[in-house]
Amino acid sequence: MSPWLIGFGVFFVYPLVSTVYFSFMRYDGLNPPTWRGTENWVYVFTDFPQLWPALTNTLWLCLVMVGCRVVFGLGIGLLITKIKTGAGVFRTLFYLPYLAPPVAATLAFVFLLNPGTGPVNSLLETFGVPGPAWFTDPAWSKPALTVLAVWGVGDLMVIFMAALLDVPKEQYEAAELDGASAWQRFRYVTLPNISPIVLFAVVTGIIGAMQYYTQPIVASKVASGVMGGSGVTFVPGYPEDSTLTLPQLIYSLGFSQFNYGAACVVALVLLALSMAFTALLMRRRGGLIGSGD
């Protein structure tokens, strides 16, 4: 077990202990750290206004974005397993967006959802529907990110397809003989059989949402017209902190403001949230889908 123990200690235990240590220190990466007790914790929770928008946005993404991805991934997987002709073509078409690089996909969506010149709003206007401002509107920026995430749902589609194809056909036949409707077969046969896969998709989705960084930072930069570069200062979260997430906050505090102590506090908050969500889901796994009894 020594290779695993060495890797676990070097890549998990040591960074975790160091993060806890530096959360009580004043450290800018250049000068030696000095002990400040709970000063960083008090600053982050009482005097740092961006913590709460970042925390709220991260929780919103965990609930709404992950929920939409799971529902759409399962729905597309069900649809393709029912198709008799051309299933391979549809499977490929739905999976290809997942292979798109995150930065390129985000850039494309920002231009597609441009409120003034984007084709999406132009199409909506032809039907007399006023298009929203998407990434430039605080009320629509997170839904726009959710649309982007659902567009790349091909990974969950493949996982759910594999699980759906493993459901015993005899159970469907028995349910049909008992007069079960399509919804009842889905509720009492399909879901109980794939519930471990649904739990896996939810847990990994929440962990991914907790680490959500690339798409919101790229979208906010492009939408605000500030692409960065030498001498350019960019404050993440445009518009009005609506796309600010905890990973962005950690990066901004640590590598832009050189406040490593406060960055470590936010990192520990993120770790605690991830562990709490995972523990809650694992304890409630029996009630997450239902046993079907």
Side-chain angles (χ1 to χ4, degrees), residues 151-230:
W151 177 72
V153 79
D155 57 331
L156 291 184
M157 175 203 69
V158 172
I159 294 173
F160 282 127
M161 281 182 58
L164 291 167
L165 293 174
D166 282 340
V167 178
K169 295 182 179 179
E170 295 80 6
Q171 295 186 14
Y172 288 119
E173 294 171 355
E176 289 181 3
L177 290 175
D178 289 339
S181 63
W183 166 250
Q184 290 173 327
R185 293 195 298 272
F186 175 76
R187 172 67 178 84
Y188 295 106
V189 177
T190 304
L191 282 182
N193 278 282
I194 67 170
S195 59
I197 307 303
V198 175
L199 179 64
F200 168 80
V202 173
V203 171
T204 55
I206 287 177
I207 294 174
M210 289 286 184
Q211 301 172 345
Y212 203 52
Y213 177 85
T214 303
Q215 290 86 341
I217 193 72
V218 172
S220 60
K221 280 188 176 184
V222 178
S224 64
V226 180
M227 291 301 295
S230 178

Side-chain angles (χ1 to χ4, degrees), residues 42-194:
V42 173
Y43 167 72
V44 168
F45 283 99
T46 61
D47 300 326
F48 190 60
Q50 286 187 307
L51 172 68
W52 302 111
L55 181 60
T56 303
N57 295 336
T58 302
L59 294 176
W60 191 98
L61 293 171
C62 287
L63 296 175
V64 179
M65 187 178 73
V66 174
C68 290
R69 276 180 51 84
V70 172
V71 170
F72 275 88
L74 178 56
I76 296 172
L78 280 169
L79 177 64
I80 294 180
T81 55
K82 300 298 183 182
I83 295 176
K84 302 299 181 182
T85 304
V89 175
F90 286 103
R91 183 169 61 245
T92 302
L93 290 176
F94 281 114
Y95 186 74
L96 281 177
Y98 173 71
L99 300 177
V103 174
T106 306
L107 288 171
F109 259 75
V110 172
F111 286 112
L112 287 172
L113 300 179
N114 186 289
T117 59
V120 174
N121 279 11
S122 300
L123 180 62
L124 291 175
E125 289 176 0
T126 60
F127 293 98
V129 178
W134 299 111
F135 288 107
T136 59
D137 185 350
W140 281 94
S141 57
K142 287 189 289 293
L145 290 173
T146 302
V147 172
L148 172 61
V150 170
W151 177 72
V153 79
D155 57 331
L156 291 184
M157 175 203 69
V158 172
I159 294 173
F160 282 127
M161 281 182 58
L164 291 167
L165 293 174
D166 282 340
V167 178
K169 295 182 179 179
E170 295 80 6
Q171 295 186 14
Y172 288 119
E173 294 171 355
E176 289 181 3
L177 290 175
D178 289 339
S181 63
W183 166 250
Q184 290 173 327
R185 293 195 298 272
F186 175 76
R187 172 67 178 84
Y188 295 106
V189 177
T190 304
L191 282 182
N193 278 282
I194 67 170

